[in-house]
Amino acid sequence: MIGTVLFCMFLILLLGGVPIAVALGLAGALAIALADQTLMAMPTNVYAGIAKYPLIAIPMFVLVGCVFDRTGVALRLVKFATALVGAGRGALASVAVLVAMIIGGISGSGPATSAAVGQVVTRGMVKDGYPRPFIAATVGAAAATDILIPPSIAFIVYAVMVPGVSVPAIFMAGMFPGILAGVAIIVPILIISWLKDFGGKNAERDENSVWQSFKEAIWGLMAPVVILGGMRIGAFTPTEAAVMAVFYGLFVGFFIYRSMTMKDLYEMLVEAGEISAVILIIIALASVFAWSTSTLGIVQPIAGWIVGLGLGEYGTIALLMVALIFIGMFLDGVSTFLILLPVLIPIARAFEWDLTWFGVILTMKIAIGQFTPPLAVNLMVSCRIAGVTMESTIPWVLWMILAMFVALALVVVFPDIALWLPRVTGMM
Amino acid sequence: MAADFDPTAPQPEPRTRIPLTLERVLLAAAMGAMALITAANVVTRYLSNISLAFTEEYSVALMVVVAMVGTALATAGGRHIRIGFFVDKLDPGRRRVAEIMALGLLIFCFGLILWYGGRMVWDEYDFEVLSPGLGHPQWIYTICLPVLAVLVIGRALGRIIRLARGEDG
């Protein structure tokens, strides 16, 4: 009874446009009150929900993204990648995907990557003969690899919520599935570009020498190395790796590219602080929701019911896949994890799935949801930059969704794609 | 609109009576301090035998400050993550009403945090609860929860007034 009230109240608030954090907090508070418990549990859980050391990685990685965004590294990466692959049919579109993947190795959020890449490639791609809806589809899909390629805020939240999964381990586990997803998206992009003759139309393209553009781009290319390398050799915790990347980015911005001022620094700190707060307050109030659902024993029956359906391993994964992609169309990755993990983890335990691998495939499903119309957040950002409607992207983006599904299916069938890297690096 | 922080959304500066510079300076200071504390931690670990691991407690407290102050800033600008898909289909008048109702619920939610958070802090002060790491009185950290909840509520009230006057949104 209380469970039904809790979820109905939550759904009404959520669909009524109430901030997700408030919907979670009030639904949790109502359930606590209905169960005749004291509401003192609310501030206790709010404070304990965010006062956790591993979570400091979130504001720090958000700051890394803001710093590198302002250095103008995206533009230099595009120039370098273009110099490498030339300008044939589909070349610039593939460059957009590759650059989104590298930026994914610096920043931890999909929409931010979609904006950074979209702003840099859209004009050039239009000149090169790509239709605008195709550009928006490419950028939106490419940015979805961001939450798989470390660092990823969704992974940090998953690792903090799931006992036995460490942040470095799941970062490493996301690496190859992220690259696989990026490559999978490039396949339909190239095929469509060849068939429809997209790209290679810009006659007045300024030729960059590979070496010259490499010298400019190397500073950006080194950023993921600083972040992952530091964690790999065990020199830094993820939070420390993020802070090192912040100082590295500031060094590049102030002394190498000389594109940054003290005013920029202040604005970046404020911007990163606000974006982090919007995520952290959801985590804080979600812990009230999670506390009430687990204390009142609402979660276990749902998990038990799904396991009891007798769908088998792959059947259950398929069911979760459909459910998560649908939810991923409405909610961001972090909120999805916060709301659903209490139900999903007991299911994974019942089937004795590896929890690190489970986190990776859940994140892949959310990534697909991020560029599936009509509500996809990455696609919304790239459409606004390209100046097209989301409906117009459907004929193109469908093929990219299909491609990423194939990548997801491969990771489901061959868990080693995810688990090989953390195992050989000794992370798990 | 889907739910996530949208970096390309227009960000008009709301006309607040108390300038948002208050939140901005606090946020920048807290974020900068967190980064510097963590960096100092790494440097001392590799250059000396002194461990600054105890600074974790300060970083965590600063993160709670960032979360609450940034929430106030996002509330003033209407930038919280929400599912706007259905609400944004309404005509401007009704959308305004829906947003005022949402802000009312936000005030109720942070009112609960203020009231019960205040009692939690009082209990910790009364029973002289000490922090697990450094043994400081716990209330000097947790007091930021009810205090900054007042800030969030104030910003929500300000936005309700502006919405009712036909500004913002």
Side-chain angles (χ1 to χ4, degrees), chain A residues 8-19 22-24 26-27, chain B residues 105:
Chain A
C8 286
M9 161 117 175
F10 178 60
L11 266 184
I12 292 167
L13 293 183
L14 209 54
L15 298 180
V18 174
V22 173
L24 284 164
L26 286 182
Chain B
L105 290 169

Side-chain angles (χ1 to χ4, degrees), chain A residues 343-355:
Chain A
V343 179
L344 295 176
I345 294 304
I347 298 175
R349 287 236 167 82
F351 286 105
E352 295 180 346
W353 289 329
D354 183 280
L355 290 176

